[in-house]
Protein backbone atom coordinates (compact mmCIF):
# COMPACT_ATOMS: atom_id res chain seq x y z
CA UNK A 1 0.00 0.00 0.00
CA UNK A 2 1.39 3.40 -0.99
CA UNK A 3 2.15 5.80 1.88
CA UNK A 4 2.33 9.60 1.51
CA UNK A 5 3.29 11.90 4.38
CA UNK A 6 2.33 15.54 4.96
CA UNK A 7 5.83 16.74 4.03
CA UNK A 8 5.45 15.07 0.61
CA UNK A 9 1.99 16.56 0.07
CA UNK A 10 3.38 20.07 0.59
CA UNK A 11 5.97 19.56 -2.16
CA UNK A 12 3.56 18.21 -4.78
CA UNK A 13 2.76 20.03 -8.02
CA UNK A 14 -0.43 22.05 -7.50
CA UNK A 15 -2.81 20.15 -9.80
CA UNK A 16 -1.50 16.75 -8.72
CA UNK A 17 -2.01 17.69 -5.06
CA UNK A 18 -5.46 19.12 -5.79
CA UNK A 19 -6.57 15.90 -7.50
CA UNK A 20 -5.17 13.67 -4.76
CA UNK A 21 -6.62 15.53 -1.78
CA UNK A 22 -10.02 16.08 -3.39
CA UNK A 23 -10.40 12.38 -4.14
CA UNK A 24 -8.80 10.71 -1.10
CA UNK A 25 -11.65 11.73 1.24
CA UNK A 26 -14.20 9.66 -0.70
CA UNK A 27 -17.27 10.28 -2.81
CA UNK A 28 -19.03 13.64 -2.37
CA UNK A 29 -22.52 14.89 -3.12
CA UNK A 30 -23.03 16.27 -6.64
CA UNK A 31 -25.35 19.26 -6.74
CA UNK A 32 -26.07 22.44 -8.62
CA UNK A 33 -26.73 25.56 -6.57
CA UNK A 34 -28.95 27.99 -8.45
CA UNK A 35 -29.47 31.63 -7.49
CA UNK A 36 -30.86 34.85 -8.91
CA UNK A 37 -29.32 38.27 -8.33
CA UNK A 38 -31.26 41.30 -7.11
CA UNK A 39 -31.25 42.55 -10.71
CA UNK A 40 -32.82 39.28 -11.90
CA UNK A 41 -29.83 37.51 -13.45
CA UNK A 42 -29.89 33.72 -12.82
CA UNK A 43 -26.76 31.78 -11.90
CA UNK A 44 -26.07 28.07 -11.51
CA UNK A 45 -22.88 26.35 -10.37
CA UNK A 46 -21.72 22.85 -9.43
CA UNK A 47 -20.91 22.21 -5.74
CA UNK A 48 -19.54 19.05 -4.13
CA UNK A 49 -19.48 20.31 -0.53
CA UNK A 50 -23.20 20.31 0.32
CA UNK A 51 -23.93 18.27 3.43
CA UNK A 52 -26.73 17.49 5.88
CA UNK A 53 -26.60 19.72 8.97
CA UNK A 54 -29.72 18.59 10.84
CA UNK A 55 -33.27 17.36 10.34
CA UNK A 56 -35.14 19.28 13.07
CA UNK A 57 -35.02 21.99 11.93
CA UNK A 58 -34.16 20.85 8.42
CA UNK A 59 -30.81 22.39 7.49
CA UNK A 60 -27.91 21.91 5.12
CA UNK A 61 -24.53 23.53 4.72
CA UNK A 62 -21.91 24.06 2.05
CA UNK A 63 -18.40 25.45 1.88
CA UNK A 64 -17.54 28.30 -0.45
CA UNK A 65 -13.96 28.98 -1.44
CA UNK A 66 -12.09 32.16 -0.40
CA UNK A 67 -13.79 35.38 -1.45
CA UNK A 68 -10.64 37.03 -2.82
CA UNK A 69 -12.16 36.55 -6.30
CA UNK A 70 -15.76 37.05 -7.44
CA UNK A 71 -18.17 34.37 -6.14
CA UNK A 72 -21.48 35.01 -7.89
CA UNK A 73 -23.36 32.27 -6.05
CA UNK A 74 -22.37 33.57 -2.62
CA UNK A 75 -23.01 37.20 -3.62
CA UNK A 76 -26.53 36.39 -4.83
CA UNK A 77 -27.33 34.41 -1.68
CA UNK A 78 -26.20 37.24 0.59
CA UNK A 79 -28.21 39.77 -1.42
CA UNK A 80 -31.45 37.78 -1.64
CA UNK A 81 -31.14 35.01 1.05
CA UNK A 82 -32.53 32.36 -1.32
CA UNK A 83 -31.02 29.56 -3.40
CA UNK A 84 -31.86 26.08 -4.63
CA UNK A 85 -29.97 22.81 -4.42
CA UNK A 86 -30.50 20.47 -7.37
CA UNK A 87 -29.21 16.91 -7.60
CA UNK A 88 -27.07 16.22 -10.65
CA UNK A 89 -28.70 13.48 -12.71
CA UNK A 90 -26.77 10.90 -14.72
CA UNK A 91 -27.99 12.37 -18.03
CA UNK A 92 -26.88 15.94 -17.25
CA UNK A 93 -23.30 15.51 -16.03
CA UNK A 94 -21.66 17.33 -18.95
CA UNK A 95 -23.97 20.31 -18.63
CA UNK A 96 -23.51 20.35 -14.86
CA UNK A 97 -19.72 20.22 -15.10
CA UNK A 98 -19.73 23.11 -17.58
CA UNK A 99 -21.22 25.36 -14.87
CA UNK A 100 -17.80 25.37 -13.19
CA UNK A 101 -16.51 27.62 -16.00
CA UNK A 102 -15.88 31.19 -14.85
CA UNK A 103 -18.40 33.29 -16.73
CA UNK A 104 -18.93 36.98 -16.00
CA UNK A 105 -21.64 37.90 -13.51
CA UNK A 106 -24.04 39.11 -16.21
CA UNK A 107 -23.82 35.85 -18.20
CA UNK A 108 -26.17 33.07 -17.11
CA UNK A 109 -24.75 29.56 -16.91
CA UNK A 110 -28.26 28.33 -17.66
CA UNK A 111 -27.99 29.89 -21.10
CA UNK A 112 -24.42 28.72 -21.70
CA UNK A 113 -24.95 25.10 -20.62
CA UNK A 114 -28.44 24.35 -21.91
CA UNK A 115 -29.81 23.74 -18.43
CA UNK A 116 -33.31 25.11 -17.92
CA UNK A 117 -34.63 27.40 -15.21
CA UNK A 118 -37.80 26.33 -13.40
CA UNK A 119 -39.70 28.52 -10.93
CA UNK A 120 -41.92 26.77 -8.40
CA UNK A 121 -44.37 28.14 -5.81
CA UNK A 122 -43.22 31.76 -6.11
CA UNK A 123 -39.72 30.95 -4.81
CA UNK A 124 -37.20 33.68 -5.68
CA UNK A 125 -34.40 31.44 -6.94
CA UNK A 126 -34.74 29.16 -9.95
CA UNK A 127 -34.62 25.37 -9.79
CA UNK A 128 -32.89 23.27 -12.46
CA UNK A 129 -35.67 21.72 -14.52
CA UNK A 130 -33.63 18.62 -15.45
CA UNK A 131 -32.94 17.74 -11.81
CA UNK A 132 -34.95 14.90 -10.22
CA UNK A 133 -34.51 16.10 -6.60
CA UNK A 134 -34.67 19.82 -5.79
CA UNK A 135 -34.47 21.80 -2.55
CA UNK A 136 -35.48 25.40 -1.93
CA UNK A 137 -33.25 26.95 0.75
CA UNK A 138 -32.94 30.15 2.78
CA UNK A 139 -29.68 31.52 4.16
CA UNK A 140 -29.36 31.37 7.96
CA UNK A 141 -25.76 32.01 8.90
CA UNK A 142 -22.12 31.60 7.93
CA UNK A 143 -18.94 30.65 9.75
CA UNK A 144 -15.44 31.66 8.76
CA UNK A 145 -12.95 28.79 8.63
CA UNK A 146 -9.75 30.65 9.39
CA UNK A 147 -7.39 27.77 8.57
CA UNK A 148 -8.00 28.18 4.82
CA UNK A 149 -10.12 31.35 4.66
CA UNK A 150 -13.28 29.59 3.44
CA UNK A 151 -16.87 29.99 4.61
CA UNK A 152 -19.35 27.42 5.84
CA UNK A 153 -22.81 28.63 4.80
CA UNK A 154 -25.78 27.21 6.73
CA UNK A 155 -29.30 27.31 5.32
CA UNK A 156 -32.83 26.17 6.09
CA UNK A 157 -34.53 23.70 3.76
CA UNK A 158 -37.92 25.25 2.98
CA UNK A 159 -39.09 23.18 -0.01
CA UNK A 160 -38.38 19.65 -1.29
CA UNK A 161 -39.45 18.29 -4.69
CA UNK A 162 -39.01 14.73 -5.99
CA UNK A 163 -40.86 11.97 -7.82
CA UNK A 164 -43.05 10.12 -5.31
CA UNK A 165 -41.83 6.80 -6.70
CA UNK A 166 -38.40 7.15 -5.09
CA UNK A 167 -39.74 7.57 -1.53
CA UNK A 168 -40.08 4.57 0.76
CA UNK A 169 -42.92 4.29 3.34
CA UNK A 170 -40.58 5.44 6.15
CA UNK A 171 -39.67 8.67 4.31
CA UNK A 172 -36.30 7.54 2.94
CA UNK A 173 -35.44 8.54 -0.64
CA UNK A 174 -33.88 5.88 -2.83
CA UNK A 175 -31.51 8.10 -4.80
CA UNK A 176 -30.27 5.43 -7.21
CA UNK A 177 -33.82 5.26 -8.58
CA UNK A 178 -33.58 9.00 -9.27
CA UNK A 179 -30.30 8.64 -11.15
CA UNK A 180 -28.48 10.91 -8.69
CA UNK A 181 -24.71 10.86 -9.20
CA UNK A 182 -21.77 11.41 -6.85
CA UNK A 183 -18.49 13.26 -7.44
CA UNK A 184 -15.08 11.57 -7.23
CA UNK A 185 -12.52 14.33 -6.70
CA UNK A 186 -13.21 17.47 -8.72
CA UNK A 187 -14.16 16.15 -12.13
CA UNK A 188 -15.18 12.48 -11.86
CA UNK A 189 -18.89 11.63 -11.89
CA UNK A 190 -20.06 8.24 -10.61
CA UNK A 191 -23.44 6.55 -10.49
CA UNK A 192 -23.83 4.80 -7.10
CA UNK A 193 -25.80 1.58 -6.84
CA UNK A 194 -27.48 0.59 -3.59
CA UNK A 195 -25.85 -2.41 -1.91
CA UNK A 196 -28.12 -2.68 1.14
CA UNK A 197 -29.95 -0.66 3.75
CA UNK A 198 -29.91 -1.49 7.46
CA UNK A 199 -32.17 -0.89 10.43
CA UNK A 200 -31.01 1.37 13.27
CA UNK A 201 -27.91 -0.12 14.90
CA UNK A 202 -28.15 -0.95 18.61
CA UNK A 203 -25.55 -2.43 20.99
CA UNK A 204 -25.48 -6.22 21.17
CA UNK A 205 -28.17 -6.63 18.51
CA UNK A 206 -27.80 -8.28 15.13
CA UNK A 207 -27.60 -5.90 12.18
CA UNK A 208 -30.81 -6.30 10.17
CA UNK A 209 -31.22 -5.55 6.48
CA UNK A 210 -34.27 -3.93 4.91
CA UNK A 211 -33.77 -5.89 1.70
CA UNK A 212 -31.97 -9.19 2.29
CA UNK A 213 -34.24 -11.94 3.65
CA UNK A 214 -31.22 -14.02 4.60
CA UNK A 215 -30.08 -11.28 7.03
CA UNK A 216 -33.51 -10.95 8.63
Amino acid sequence: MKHIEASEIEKMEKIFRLNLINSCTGYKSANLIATKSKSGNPNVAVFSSITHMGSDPAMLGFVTRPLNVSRNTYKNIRETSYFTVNHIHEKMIEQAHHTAAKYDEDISEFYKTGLNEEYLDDFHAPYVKQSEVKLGCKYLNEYHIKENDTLLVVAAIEHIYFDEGIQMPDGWLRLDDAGTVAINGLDGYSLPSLLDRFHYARPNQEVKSFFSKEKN
Side-chain angles (χ1 to χ4, degrees), residues 168-172 174 194-201 207-216:
M168 301 298 105
D170 64 352
W172 182 73
R174 182 160 179 165
L194 185 70
L195 299 178
D196 210 333
R197 184 184 177 214
F198 300 103
H199 289 270
Y200 190 83
V207 174
K208 294 185 178 181
S209 167
F210 277 93
F211 302 117
S212 175
K213 293 181 179 178
E214 306 89 81
K215 294 181 181 179
N216 287 330

Side-chain angles (χ1 to χ4, degrees), residues 67-121:
L67 303 178
N68 53 2
V69 299
S70 178
R71 303 291 180 197
N72 296 332
T73 296
Y74 175 77
K75 178 176 179 287
N76 292 346
I77 291 173
R78 288 311 316 268
E79 287 182 349
T80 70
S81 295
Y82 295 100
F83 65 97
T84 67
V85 172
N86 307 267
H87 286 206
I88 297 176
H89 184 271
E90 59 181 310
K91 295 181 180 178
M92 56 189 275
I93 58 175
E94 290 184 20
Q95 295 161 299
H97 188 70
H98 189 182
T99 66
K102 293 178 173 60
Y103 288 106
D104 292 337
E105 184 178 354
D106 60 345
I107 298 176
S108 171
E109 290 85 357
F110 280 103
Y111 172 74
K112 286 293 186 178
T113 63
L115 294 169
N116 302 116
E117 299 168 62
E118 182 178 35
Y119 291 90
L120 301 171
D121 298 308

Side-chain angles (χ1 to χ4, degrees), residues 5-176:
E5 295 184 346
S7 58
E8 298 173 88
I9 295 173
E10 294 171 0
K11 297 175 184 176
M12 288 177 178
E13 186 272 329
K14 178 181 176 181
I15 300 302
F16 187 93
R17 180 176 64 244
L18 183 149
N19 284 326
L20 172 63
I21 302 305
N22 272 277
S23 59
C24 74
T25 52
Y27 287 110
K28 296 175 285 189
S29 64
N31 291 285
L32 292 168
I33 291 184
T35 61
K36 187 167 68 172
S37 68
K38 283 200 304 185
S39 61
N41 188 53
N43 167 277
V44 62
V46 60
F47 276 77
S48 62
S49 63
I50 296 173
T51 187
H52 165 83
M53 298 291 289
S55 57
D56 187 17
M59 298 188 303
L60 56 76
F62 69 92
V63 175
T64 184
R65 289 177 291 177
L67 303 178
N68 53 2
V69 299
S70 178
R71 303 291 180 197
N72 296 332
T73 296
Y74 175 77
K75 178 176 179 287
N76 292 346
I77 291 173
R78 288 311 316 268
E79 287 182 349
T80 70
S81 295
Y82 295 100
F83 65 97
T84 67
V85 172
N86 307 267
H87 286 206
I88 297 176
H89 184 271
E90 59 181 310
K91 295 181 180 178
M92 56 189 275
I93 58 175
E94 290 184 20
Q95 295 161 299
H97 188 70
H98 189 182
T99 66
K102 293 178 173 60
Y103 288 106
D104 292 337
E105 184 178 354
D106 60 345
I107 298 176
S108 171
E109 290 85 357
F110 280 103
Y111 172 74
K112 286 293 186 178
T113 63
L115 294 169
N116 302 116
E117 299 168 62
E118 182 178 35
Y119 291 90
L120 301 171
D121 298 308
D122 298 320
F123 198 70
H124 174 80
Y127 295 88
V128 177
K129 188 174 181 63
Q130 290 92 331
S131 181
E132 298 288 333
V133 181
K134 323 170 203 279
L135 312 175
C137 302
K138 183 177 181 180
Y139 172 93
L140 292 176
N141 210 339
E142 64 186 51
Y143 300 88
H144 180 236
I145 302 172
K146 63 181 181 180
E147 286 77 10
N148 62 355
D149 198 28
T150 56
L151 288 175
L152 170 62
V153 177
V154 178
I157 301 173
E158 295 195 337
H159 303 276
I160 307 175
Y161 300 91
F162 55 86
D163 188 308
E164 287 187 48
I166 71 168
Q167 187 173 41
M168 301 298 105
D170 64 352
W172 182 73
L173 299 184
R174 182 160 179 165
L175 298 181
D176 57 332

